[in-house]
Amino acid sequence: EIQMTQSPSTLSASVGDRVTITCRASQFISTWLAWYQQRPGEAPQLLIYEASALQSGVPSRFSGSGSGTEFTLTISSLQPDDFATYYCQQYKTFGAFGQGTKVEIE
Amino acid sequence: QVQLVQSGAEVKKPGSSLKVSCKTSGGSFSSFAVSWMRQAPGQGLEWMGGIIPIFHTPNYAQKFQGRITISADESTDTAYMEVISLRSDDTAVYYCARGGLPRDYYYMDVWGKGTTVTVSS
């Protein structure tokens, strides 16, 4: 099975900061990668699919890049609504998630 | 728009079994994968398995092989997941979600609200 590893596990930042989260796959997954945001008590929401495609309705401050085994999610200017946990997920073979990155207020 | 409606919260005894449902409304059911995930308290998301109803064959993560059964009823647009031999560490929120494109497992763009399952004696 494909394993996904995110870093960091926790990230402290302030409103307006540029934030980058990294996701690494244990084997080649091309661009079959999605990013989700989860706020406490809520179901996850899709942000990015196919590594860099922005889901409809998602603000343009979110962007994704990468291919193969290394991927990044970038928030260009952190907003109060963005303090949440972010997960990557590969879908080359079924689905496996990274362990999550919690973005908290510094 | 497409919605996934999950069954209600459950409290179960250790050793018992659980069956959670996930009904699709407002869109096509048979061609789209329905995946099941769980999230233990304070923990991350785990993909447990899924099914594409028109293909009838479920797929399971290795960790859950033999302990879960995923099925789909095309007459009611409802997917099910059964977990047997429940343990306290099965306490979690269980989510279903639908694949964003048909006929394979893709990113998941529609999620149910989750079913809280508590396993306690």
Side-chain angles (χ1 to χ4, degrees), chain A residues 8 20-21 26-28 31 50 69 80 86 103:
Chain A
T20 298
I21 298 168
S26 61
Q27 57 184 269
F28 179 83
T31 55
E50 218 166 308
T69 61
Y86 295 85
V103 176

Side-chain angles (χ1 to χ4, degrees), chain B residues 13-32:
Chain B
K13 299 284 190 194
S16 67
S17 63
L18 164 77
K19 193 168 187 177
V20 186
S21 67
C22 172
K23 181 174 174 61
T24 297
S25 65
S28 174
F29 174 72
S30 296
S31 301
F32 289 81

Side-chain angles (χ1 to χ4, degrees), chain A residues 37-45, chain B residues 6 39 95-96 111-114:
Chain A
Q37 177 193 67
Q38 187 180 34
R39 298 191 179 98
E42 297 183 5
Q45 288 191 310
Chain B
Q6 296 186 227
Q39 187 169 40
Y95 292 103
C96 63
W111 290 66
K113 292 187 184 301

